[in-house]
Amino acid sequence: MADVRDEAVAVEGSSLKVVMIASVAAVGGFLFGFDTAVINGAVGALESTFQASDAAIGISVSSALLGSAAGAFMGGQLADRFGRTRTMVVASVLFSIGTVGSGVAFGLVDFSVWRLVGGIAVGIASVIAPAYIAEIAPAHLRGRLGSLQQLAIVTGIFAALLVDYGIASAAGGSALNPLWLGMPAWRWMLLSELPPAILYGIGALMIPESPRYLVAKHRDDKAREVLRSIIGQRAEAKVEEIRQSLSGEHTARFTDLRGRFGLLPIVWVGIGLSVFQQFVGINVIFYYSSVLWQAVGFSERSSLAITVITSVTNIVTTFIAIATVDRFGRKPLLIVGSVGMALTLGTMAYVFGTAGMDAAGKPVLEGTAGPIALVAANLYVFCFGMSWGPVVWVLLGEMFNNRIRGRALALAGSAQWVANFIVSSTFPALRTAGLGIAYGLYTAAAAASLLFVLLYIRETKGKELEAM
């Protein structure tokens, strides 16, 4: 009986440890969310400060996304060469540099450059966290722990929007008003990312390296030590499984991803998941929502408050995914999410497409149109948050085999950021052309995502990474 109790305690302890390790890695996701959302409260101020056009603002805000594409592309190579945890430290340093630079920028050009640097860090973090979590987590916990990446992202979004709201309120309701040290509030919004960026680097120095990376580098003893702290007596067998999956294989190269149609089918599926996650327009809600709600009549402070509420919805629904992804599987959640997003985005397309215009050419939501748009937007976030938000990260972390995981994730991650850039940089022009058109395009993408899932996604629930 004592042996059984000891074994139970060991299992409980190891599970707690792996949750804590995965949580530290997911701080990169927090910074990912924070960096991409903190710009929300500063968009209007940037337009006024730098007297920039919609197109110029769209490019400058989205410059971080180009950096993210580059960071995601190089992140897999860095991770395979130097290790997962060291690459996290590199991302932390770049986060810090980009944060300070964008916060003190003197013009739109150097602001864009520093956003690009921060974007590289975001891209690196976006591929390192899911890979590391998938490689450190036992199969029965992998879905839930993989969902921590999305939970961290949406928590970062919430924190950034809350900080934006708090700073704007402290400055009298406008990001243009001066705050501390005579600097306008929007600069402090951007500088607020520095403390978590530093903590991310410190945390990365305290967690163990991925056992699969260690075996690939012929450091079996260290890999065995890490695995023993997580899965106990099965560590030796797991090291052998990993060794067998890597045996006779050369160091991974991008040429290993080549297949019949240019790339291996599984890599195309990963790219498709990444692109559809962005083409449904989710980041429009978090990059431009304060400007969007101001365009339909809400004040700047009320618009920021609405965006904070929306981000809370995103967090709550991510917990639903965490609770269900290992029970119901990845594919069913994606199907439900695609259907829900198509319906809610279609509603928003209709509401904005049929809205009247004021003298300035902005849509006017009269009567029940305003509440319907708000409810539809939050239901859309709900549908995304319990499906495509977290599940894509889970699948990207686990769907590729050990040999190609780093490079395949890099390619899929780059595709995701390019798609994000396309959506985010084109939204200001689409907003001018008509919000009904914008949301109509996102509706079409959501409908197409349903067909993609039905045709190409295979269930990975409960499978060991060595079986992929």
Side-chain angles (χ1 to χ4, degrees):
M1 182 66 69
D3 290 341
V4 173
R5 285 197 301 268
D6 291 343
E7 184 178 348
V9 170
V11 171
E12 180 182 355
S14 64
S15 295
L16 177 60
K17 180 170 183 176
V18 76
V19 168
M20 294 182 68
I21 291 171
S23 297
V24 172
V27 173
F30 177 90
L31 286 165
F32 168 179
F34 196 102
D35 189 84
T36 53
V38 75
I39 193 67
N40 191 293
V43 170
L46 286 171
E47 291 178 351
S48 299
T49 300
F50 300 123
Q51 296 296 301
S53 65
D54 278 351
I57 289 297
I59 294 297
S60 65
V61 168
S62 302
S63 62
L65 305 179
L66 293 178
S68 297
F73 190 77
M74 70 174 67
Q77 300 178 66
L78 292 173
D80 285 342
R81 183 170 183 178
F82 300 110
R84 279 49 168 160
T85 55
R86 289 180 182 176
T87 305
M88 292 179 198
V89 174
V90 171
S92 169
V93 172
L94 292 175
F95 269 123
S96 301
I97 293 172
T99 294
V100 174
S102 60
V104 300
F106 294 104
L108 201 60
V109 173
D110 63 314
F111 173 82
S112 300
V113 170
W114 293 119
R115 287 286 293 168
L116 186 77
V117 172
I120 293 174
V122 170
I124 292 174
S126 72
V127 299
I128 292 303
Y132 178 85
I133 292 171
E135 291 176 350
I136 205 79
H140 69 285
L141 291 175
R142 198 174 58 240
R144 279 168 283 181
L145 293 179
S147 298
L148 286 178
Q149 166 80 344
Q150 180 66 12
L151 179 62
I153 292 171
V154 298
T155 302
I157 290 171
F158 169 73
L161 297 174
L162 190 62
V163 166
D164 281 356
Y165 178 74
I167 289 177
S169 297
S174 174
L176 284 169
N177 291 341
L179 195 56
W180 306 297
L181 303 179
M183 293 169 58
W186 68 266
R187 293 189 183 275
W188 288 107
M189 291 175 181
L190 299 174
L191 290 170
S192 65
E193 187 180 355
L194 186 58
I198 294 172
L199 288 176
Y200 177 47
I202 295 172
L205 294 172
M206 300 174 66
I207 58 177
E209 185 53 80
S210 159
R212 287 168 177 82
Y213 168 80
L214 292 170
V215 173
K217 295 299 182 181
H218 309 292
R219 298 170 61 188
D220 291 12
D221 289 343
K222 184 63 177 177
R224 195 175 293 110
E225 178 185 332
V226 174
L227 286 167
R228 191 175 292 117
S229 69
I230 296 170
I231 61 175
Q233 297 303 313
R234 294 191 298 112
E236 183 63 44
K238 176 55 68 175
V239 167
E240 182 59 29
E241 285 180 31
I242 297 170
R243 189 187 300 117
Q244 288 297 322
S245 73
L246 295 170
S247 63
E249 309 243 354
H250 57 263
T251 301
R253 299 188 296 262
F254 278 108
T255 54
D256 296 328
L257 306 183
R258 290 178 181 172
R260 182 178 176 185
F261 298 103
L263 295 169
L264 295 170
I266 191 66
V267 179
W268 280 120
V269 172
I271 290 173
L273 282 168
S274 296
V275 169
F276 276 118
Q277 190 196 51
Q278 299 305 314
F279 274 8
V280 296
I282 186 63
N283 283 311
V284 165
I285 296 291
F286 295 111
Y287 292 165
Y288 295 105
S289 57
S290 63
V291 173
L292 172 66
W293 296 120
Q294 287 178 63
V296 296
F298 291 94
S299 68
E300 180 177 349
R301 184 177 297 182
S302 295
S303 297
L304 286 171
I306 291 170
T307 304
V308 171
I309 293 170
T310 302
S311 69
V312 172
T313 302
N314 207 7
I315 292 174
V316 171
T317 54
T318 302
F319 280 108
I320 295 175
I322 291 173
T324 58
V325 67
D326 282 322
R327 179 180 302 176
F328 299 130
R330 287 60 161 153
K331 188 169 182 175
L333 291 182
L334 290 178
I335 291 172
V336 171
S338 291
V339 172
M341 289 190 298
L343 292 174
T344 52
L345 285 167
T347 300
M348 294 175 71
Y350 176 79
V351 169
F352 284 111
T354 57
M357 297 290 180
D358 63 14
K362 296 180 179 180
V364 178
L365 301 184
E366 299 177 338
T368 60
I372 289 174
L374 279 173
V375 171
N378 281 282
L379 285 177
Y380 160 67
V381 171
F382 177 91
C383 294
F384 180 88
M386 54 78 65
S387 61
W388 280 82
V391 174
V392 167
W393 293 114
V394 173
L395 282 170
L396 290 179
E398 67 186 9
M399 67 191 293
F400 306 115
N401 65 45
N402 283 335
R403 180 169 59 88
I404 68 169
R405 182 173 299 112
R407 302 305 170 98
L409 251 172
L411 199 58
S414 294
Q416 183 179 104
W417 288 110
V418 171
N420 194 335
F421 173 78
I422 292 171
V423 171
S424 302
S425 61
T426 57
F427 180 74
L430 286 173
R431 182 183 65 190
T432 302
L435 290 172
I437 296 174
Y439 284 111
L441 290 173
Y442 307 146
T443 302
S449 74
L450 175 60
L451 293 176
F452 178 80
V453 172
L454 292 173
L455 292 174
Y456 299 113
I457 299 302
R458 294 189 302 171
E459 187 56 67
T460 56
K461 180 182 71 171
K463 293 182 180 180
E464 294 286 349
L465 292 186
E466 285 64 47
M468 297 296 178

